[in-house]
């Protein structure tokens, strides 16, 4: 039984050793993979391409239209002409006239050009609106990227936390295994009872189960990260557990410039500009329109010979130039309604801007408070680990000297284990809170993480 137990422990150690040989996935590499492969980011970039096409001069209405047309007609007639009551010079009836396979062809081609010289400035403001919509789509893509980066690091840091927890549990298992060995030696020399060995074996079993659960959770979280990176689910790796916090002075500078960089506020400003152009586009309905047009055409008519006329070929070339001025003096009030509605939409967007600005300021204040609180908790947990480490070392010395029981030693070990895992949790919670604050200040994609 003991032999199988040792094999089980050695298997756990072997798995852990194999994991140590995994390829390191750095934060920078994870970001690059997400930017290149993530489905949501790819869709957002395609939306930007659509908006870029829409803002092109080809979609503005400023260019003329040129239309070409051509046609051909073919006729073939078989006819018989009668002359009732008509006679020839010799007094005989005039015979019927038959015309077989009388062919006629008609060919034509023309080019027509139309150009709107003035449309009340509607297309000008619509063109400017399309440019603003392109800028808005870029901001929306940036928001998608920022949200994806938060999701990425949320999973990345969870992998890092579970990795550190696994190392903590491995050390705890090693200590528990060493305790079994000492208890067996002490029992052989009559310094302890069989109960001490059994307690140590129970603790090793519990530590082994905790380690297996942690390894399973770590494997699942790695698959979650592979989904975000859009790569093979079974791709194995290890992550960087080193965390660097941004100095508070630097964060305060970011907060001071948040109004100019926050993606939500920038989007509301773009929407307000688009609404402003919508008003001007609607107002263009009050002004006249001036259009120019021209055409050049060619026609060929080949007619067959008839009973009284010979066949002819008629070729015609024509050139037409013109201008059209239209002014919708009254359209039933449709333009007036559109202008009023556009102005109301603009007012609503102004109100929405103020609301979003207030909410963003609140979110920044809350995020800063949460970050500071979690950072303080992390520092406290760091000190707590030092305290529990010292307590554990003294407890181990006392246990080796036989001055405390295995239960008391185990309690010191559990206290240290909890302190270490709590510190790991606090560290990554603080870093995620910092990233959320950076997103609100518009700096998430501009800083080195």
């Amino acid at each position: 039984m003991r032999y199988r137990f040792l094999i089980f422990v050695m298997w756990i150690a072997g798995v852990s050793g194999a994991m140590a040989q995994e390829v390191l996935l750095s934060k920078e590499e994870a970001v690059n993979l997400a930017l290149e492969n993530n489905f949501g980011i790819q869709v957002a970039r395609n939306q930007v391409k659509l908006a870029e096409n829409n803002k092109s001069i080809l979609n503005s209405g400023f260019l003329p239209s040129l239309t070409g047309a051509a046609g051909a007609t073919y006729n073939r007639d078989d006819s018989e002409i009668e002359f009732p009551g008509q006679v020839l010079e010799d007094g005989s009836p005039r015979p019927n006239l038959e015309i077989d396979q009388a062919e006629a062809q008609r060919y034509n081609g023309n080019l027509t050009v139309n150009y709107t010289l003035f449309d009340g400035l509607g297309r000008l403001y619509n063109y400017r609106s399309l440019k603003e919509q392109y800028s808005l789509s870029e901001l929306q893509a940036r928001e998608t990227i920022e949200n994806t980066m938060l999701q990425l690091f949320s999973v990345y840091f969870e992998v890092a936390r579970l990795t550190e927890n696994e190392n903590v549990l491995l050390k705890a298992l090693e200590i528990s295994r060493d305790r079994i060995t000492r208890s067996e030696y002490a029992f052989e020399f009559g310094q302890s009872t069989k109960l001490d060995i059994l307690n140590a074996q129970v603790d090793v079993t519990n530590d082994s189960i905790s380690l297996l659960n942690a390894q399973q959770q770590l494997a699942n979280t790695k698959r979650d990260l592979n989904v975000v990176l859009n790569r093979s689910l079974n791709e194995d790796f290890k992550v960087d557990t080193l965390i660097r916090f941004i100095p508070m002075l630097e964060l305060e500078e970011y907060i001071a410039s948040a109004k100019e960089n926050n993606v939500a506020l920038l989007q509301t400003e773009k929407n307000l500009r688009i609404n402003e152009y919508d008003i001007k586009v609607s107002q263009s309905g009050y002004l006249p329109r001036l259009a120019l047009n021209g055409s050049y055409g060619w026609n060929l008519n080949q007619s067959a010979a008839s009973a009284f006329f010979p066949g002819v070929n008629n070729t015609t070339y024509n050139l037409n130039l013109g201008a059209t001025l239209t002014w919708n003096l009254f359209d039933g009030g449709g333009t007036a309604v559109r202008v009023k509605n556009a102005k109301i939409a603009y007012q609503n967007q102004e109100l929405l801007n103020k609301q979003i600005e207030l909410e963003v300021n609140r979110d920044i204040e809350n995020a800063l408070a949460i970050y500071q609180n979690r950072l303080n908790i992390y520092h406290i947990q760091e000190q707590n680990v030092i305290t529990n480490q010292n307590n554990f070392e003294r407890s181990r010395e006392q246990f080796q000297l036989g001055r405390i029981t295995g239960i008391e030693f185990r309690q010191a070990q559990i206290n240290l284990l909890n302190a270490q895992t709590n510190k790991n949790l606090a560290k990554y919670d603080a870093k995620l809170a910092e990233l959320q604050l950076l997103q609100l200040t518009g700096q998430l994609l501009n800083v080195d993480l």
Side-chain angles (χ1 to χ4, degrees):
M1 181 70 181
R2 179 185 173 190
Y3 176 76
R4 287 190 297 173
F5 176 79
L6 289 176
I7 292 178
F8 172 73
V9 173
M10 291 174 64
W11 175 80
I12 293 178
V15 170
S16 303
M19 294 178 64
Q21 303 299 320
E22 298 162 358
V23 177
L24 174 65
L25 176 66
S26 66
K27 301 182 187 71
E28 294 77 10
E29 184 180 359
V31 169
N32 292 334
L33 287 173
L35 291 175
E36 181 179 356
N37 299 329
N38 183 266
F39 289 121
I41 292 178
Q42 292 183 49
V43 171
R45 285 176 173 163
N46 286 336
Q47 294 295 335
V48 173
K49 291 180 180 178
L50 289 175
E52 184 177 11
N53 292 336
N54 289 334
K55 80 176 183 67
S56 168
I57 190 69
L58 299 176
N59 190 46
S60 66
F62 278 108
L63 299 180
S65 64
L66 179 63
T67 305
T73 303
Y74 171 79
N75 290 325
R76 173 179 168 176
D77 298 324
D78 295 323
S79 59
E80 181 180 357
I81 303 174
E82 297 180 354
F83 304 96
Q86 298 184 27
V87 296
L88 298 176
E89 293 180 356
D90 59 1
S92 61
R94 184 175 179 178
N96 295 341
L97 177 64
E98 293 183 1
I99 302 177
D100 295 329
Q101 298 183 1
E103 297 180 343
Q105 297 91 24
R106 295 181 180 87
Y107 304 96
N108 64 82
N110 67 81
L111 292 175
T112 302
V113 60
N114 292 285
Y115 181 66
T116 301
L117 188 64
F118 180 76
D119 69 340
L121 300 178
R123 61 182 173 179
L124 172 64
Y125 292 120
N126 184 64
Y127 182 51
R128 293 179 179 176
S129 177
L130 290 173
K131 287 186 174 182
E132 294 296 334
Q133 290 174 24
Y134 169 72
S135 299
L136 178 62
S137 70
E138 287 186 315
L139 291 172
Q140 291 169 342
R142 172 187 153 188
E143 183 179 28
T144 299
I145 293 174
E146 288 181 354
N147 291 334
T148 303
M149 289 300 104
L150 276 182
Q151 179 189 11
L152 166 67
F153 280 110
S154 176
V155 182
Y156 186 94
F157 289 146
E158 181 65 7
V159 173
R161 184 184 73 85
L162 292 172
T163 300
E164 291 196 275
N165 284 355
E166 180 190 28
N167 293 332
V168 170
L169 290 170
L170 280 170
K171 292 179 181 178
L173 178 59
E174 183 181 352
I175 292 172
S176 297
R177 289 167 56 195
D178 180 70
R179 182 178 150 208
I180 287 183
T181 302
R182 290 183 176 275
S183 297
E184 289 175 343
Y185 283 143
F187 177 74
E188 292 177 0
F189 288 99
Q191 297 177 351
S192 66
T193 64
K194 187 68 174 179
L195 181 61
D196 292 331
I197 299 177
L198 294 175
N199 286 335
Q201 290 177 344
V202 169
D203 292 339
V204 167
T205 300
N206 291 334
D207 290 344
S208 300
I209 293 173
S210 297
L211 178 59
L212 287 174
N213 288 334
Q215 290 174 339
Q216 180 62 60
Q217 189 177 2
L218 176 60
N220 292 344
T221 308
K222 285 184 176 182
R223 281 188 280 271
D224 292 339
L225 185 56
N226 284 330
V227 169
V228 177
L229 300 178
N230 185 20
R231 62 180 191 170
S232 174
L233 295 179
N234 296 320
E235 187 81 23
D236 209 355
F237 56 90
K238 61 181 180 178
V239 298
D240 183 8
T241 58
L242 180 63
I243 293 297
R244 182 187 71 87
F245 292 100
I246 297 176
M248 186 57 64
L249 288 177
E250 191 173 344
L251 285 176
E252 290 175 352
E253 293 178 0
Y254 294 155
I255 293 174
S257 60
K259 187 175 181 180
E260 291 78 26
N261 297 308
N262 179 272
V263 68
L265 292 177
L266 293 176
Q267 287 185 68
T268 59
E269 290 296 329
K270 291 298 178 183
N271 282 321
L272 188 64
R273 185 68 61 84
I274 292 172
N275 287 129
E276 182 180 354
Y277 287 137
D278 288 343
I279 295 175
K280 294 179 178 179
V281 170
S282 299
Q283 289 174 336
S284 67
Y286 291 128
L287 300 176
R289 299 171 62 90
L290 178 62
L292 304 177
N293 57 79
S295 65
Y296 178 79
W298 166 79
N299 292 274
L300 172 61
N301 186 1
Q302 297 177 337
S303 61
S306 64
F308 306 101
F309 300 99
V312 297
N313 292 338
N314 184 13
T315 303
T316 305
Y317 301 92
N318 59 75
L319 175 65
N320 295 317
L321 297 175
T324 303
L325 177 65
T326 60
W327 196 340
N328 195 347
L329 299 178
F330 182 69
D331 63 351
T335 299
V337 171
R338 286 191 293 271
V339 171
K340 289 180 181 179
N341 289 342
K343 289 182 178 179
I344 293 173
Y346 181 82
Q347 293 172 357
N348 286 340
Q349 187 61 47
E350 283 186 316
L351 295 173
L352 184 61
N353 282 17
K354 294 179 181 179
Q355 178 185 355
I356 292 179
E357 182 177 357
L358 184 62
E359 291 175 351
V360 167
N361 290 335
R362 176 207 61 194
D363 292 342
I364 290 177
E365 292 293 332
N366 289 345
L368 178 61
I370 291 172
Y371 169 65
Q372 291 175 329
N373 182 63
R374 290 183 179 178
L375 193 60
N376 290 333
I377 291 175
Y378 169 59
H379 293 323
I380 292 173
Q381 292 291 359
E382 280 186 313
Q383 185 60 45
N384 189 39
V385 168
I386 295 175
T387 301
N388 279 277
Q389 184 69 46
N390 292 334
N391 177 66
F392 173 75
E393 295 298 336
R394 292 180 62 85
S395 297
R396 178 156 58 180
E397 292 175 2
Q398 296 297 315
F399 175 70
Q400 292 173 353
L401 294 174
R403 295 177 181 176
I404 63 174
T405 65
I407 295 176
E408 292 173 316
F409 174 72
R410 176 63 175 176
Q411 186 59 51
Q413 182 186 10
I414 292 176
N415 291 340
L416 176 60
L417 177 65
N418 291 337
Q420 291 171 328
T421 55
N422 289 337
K423 186 201 75 170
N424 294 337
L425 178 62
K427 177 172 70 172
Y428 295 111
D429 278 350
K431 187 59 181 180
L432 285 175
E434 181 191 80
L435 295 183
Q436 291 169 349
L437 179 60
L438 288 173
Q439 182 192 27
L440 289 169
T441 59
Q443 300 295 335
L444 180 61
L445 304 179
N446 300 328
V447 297
D448 183 12
L449 301 176

